[in-house]
Amino acid sequence: MIINHPQNTTHHSLHLSPESNNLILTILISPSLSLPQCPLTTLTNFIIMSAIKTPPSNKLFTFGLVSAWYSSNIGVLLLNKYLLTNYGFKYPIFLTMCHMSSCALLSYIAIAWMKMVPVQTIRSRVQLVKISALSLIFCASVVSGNVSLRYLPVSFNQAVGATTPFFTAVFAYIMTLKMESWLTYATLVPVVTGVVIASGGEPSFHLFGFIMCVGATAARALKTVVQGILLSSEGEKLNSMNLLLYMAPIAVILLLPATMYMEQNVVGITIALARQDFGIVWLLILNSSLAYFVNLTNFLVTKHTSALTLQVLGNAKGAVAVVVSILIFKNPVSVSGMAGYTFTVIGVILYGEVKKRSAK
């Protein structure tokens, strides 16, 4: 789970091309050669250029931040999958509530005690209602995403998550009547088509899990659009750390009755599991802490680099998560499934390029 600035887009997953090493070598030798770049090539060229421009004193610090961001993002995703599927802890709403409780506590410590960022206060009841609405959408997104992990492999989950730009464009048009260029909409065609192909070729496809994953992706996009609308005035804008500080406690309040109603006696069951294997307690604590550090490292990487760096690294992070999950969970991957995933990624890359050029 991650809180983004209103102007940032959700991160997308990328496919690692097996021919990437040769392509990287070709491009590095002949920079003027016009070839389609695979995700790993884009990341490599980006890192090389950043290394040239970045002073030596800052390289180690930036590398540490990015490593922490990758570790927390991929770690919480894989731990969610392990707990909900392999370990058999089948309580995604309670797990999400643990995440939000950790985010609320650690956000308060980071802002109120450690003074990592200045405290931004809520100035009106209207602003509080707006934040509560965002928190409700955020809860729906995270819970749906966690539910989908019970039924789908991480690789397919990431492929579906890459369609976020499509839903963002749809909701932006519905809610603001904002039209993008025809070229922007054209790039969304392969994004959606790729997921359709990947769905047909996914060996572990599960309809309910797929619906939950699509719902989570749509809710993430909706939150981005709604956040840009509701907190658009200068007096109401909050940075991601302060927004999380206020959203997390509200999310806990919203999730508590849902947990009690839909996952009855989950606390008693968790205590019973802890008596048999105390490791579940450490797993929940680690998982919940990582959920907060996803947001913290996201904020720090954005602060110390740029939104473009975050986008490029976020795309590569999705690819790394896919590869690591396949290595760990050994889920089968079909040729048509990976072809669809690659098709989606091509659309995501084209979408990013078109948006970047239109912003100039």
Side-chain angles (χ1 to χ4, degrees):
M1 64 197 69
I2 186 165
I3 305 288
N4 288 322
H5 294 284
Q7 65 270 28
N8 290 348
T9 56
T10 307
H11 307 254
H12 312 301
S13 308
L14 295 185
H15 172 65
L16 292 173
S17 171
E19 297 82 19
S20 56
N21 290 335
N22 294 334
L23 185 57
I24 292 168
L25 183 60
T26 304
I27 292 176
L28 290 179
I29 295 174
S30 305
S32 61
L33 188 61
S34 178
L35 289 174
Q37 292 188 336
C38 71
L40 188 55
T41 304
T42 304
L43 175 65
T44 303
N45 288 341
F46 183 84
I47 291 174
I48 291 173
M49 295 305 297
S50 297
I52 293 173
K53 297 177 182 179
T54 305
S57 58
N58 294 334
K59 290 179 183 177
L60 186 60
F61 177 72
T62 303
F63 178 78
L65 276 182
V66 173
S67 298
W69 183 53
Y70 266 48
S71 300
S72 57
N73 270 270
I74 297 173
V76 74
L77 179 65
L78 298 181
L79 264 179
N80 283 347
K81 177 64 177 177
Y82 175 77
L83 283 168
L84 294 168
T85 304
N86 298 66
Y87 193 91
F89 189 79
K90 301 178 180 180
Y91 305 101
I93 302 178
F94 178 75
L95 184 63
T96 305
M97 191 174 73
C98 290
H99 291 179
M100 293 297 101
S101 300
S102 173
C103 287
L105 175 61
L106 294 178
S107 291
Y108 181 79
I109 293 173
I111 296 176
W113 291 1
M114 299 177 65
K115 310 293 184 183
M116 293 189 66
V117 294
V119 178
Q120 294 175 289
T121 58
I122 297 178
R123 301 187 177 186
S124 65
R125 290 184 179 180
V126 174
Q127 187 181 13
L128 178 60
V129 171
K130 292 178 178 179
I131 294 174
S132 300
L134 286 175
S135 187
L136 179 61
I137 300 172
F138 183 55
C139 286
S141 172
V142 177
V143 170
S144 298
N146 285 340
V147 170
S148 73
L149 285 173
R150 283 189 57 191
Y151 304 98
L152 299 177
V154 172
S155 54
F156 186 57
N157 180 281
Q158 292 287 286
V160 176
T163 61
T164 302
F166 168 77
F167 291 103
T168 302
V170 170
F171 287 127
Y173 177 73
I174 293 175
M175 303 183 73
T176 67
L177 298 180
K178 178 185 177 182
M179 286 288 293
E180 301 285 353
S181 67
W182 68 269
L183 193 56
T184 301
Y185 289 122
T187 61
L188 296 176
V189 174
V191 171
V192 178
T193 304
V195 170
V196 173
I197 296 172
S199 301
E202 173 57 47
S204 305
F205 182 83
H206 190 284
L207 181 59
F208 179 71
F210 176 72
I211 293 172
M212 288 292 101
C213 194
V214 171
T217 305
R220 272 197 304 273
L222 178 61
K223 176 187 168 294
T224 301
V225 175
V226 172
Q227 184 173 330
I229 296 172
L230 296 184
L231 303 180
S232 57
S233 66
E234 288 299 323
E236 292 184 334
K237 285 183 179 178
L238 300 172
N239 63 47
S240 59
M241 295 293 289
N242 276 273
L243 183 59
L244 182 63
L245 173 66
Y246 295 118
M247 283 179 57
I250 297 172
V252 173
I253 295 172
L254 293 172
L255 290 169
L256 182 59
T259 302
M260 295 175 64
Y261 178 75
M262 301 179 69
E263 298 175 342
Q264 297 180 6
N265 198 31
V266 63
V267 176
I269 293 172
T270 304
I271 293 174
L273 284 173
R275 289 172 179 170
Q276 298 175 10
D277 178 17
F278 197 76
I280 182 65
V281 175
W282 295 117
L283 285 174
L284 288 174
I285 291 175
L286 175 61
N287 187 238
S288 300
S289 299
L290 284 175
Y292 170 73
F293 284 108
V294 167
N295 294 278
L296 175 62
T297 54
N298 177 76
F299 174 79
L300 292 175
V301 170
T302 306
K303 179 180 178 181
H304 291 281
T305 56
S306 66
L308 175 60
T309 303
L310 196 69
Q311 181 180 0
V312 173
L313 294 175
N315 289 340
K317 172 183 62 64
V320 173
V322 168
V323 173
V324 172
S325 69
I326 292 174
L327 292 175
I328 292 177
F329 298 111
K330 312 290 185 184
N331 58 281
V333 180
S334 68
V335 174
S336 59
M338 293 310 295
Y341 187 18
T342 305
F343 207 54
T344 294
V345 166
I346 291 172
V348 170
I349 295 173
L350 292 174
Y351 174 84
E353 287 296 318
V354 171
K355 292 289 288 184
K356 184 171 64 176
R357 292 180 182 181
S358 63
K360 291 181 180 179

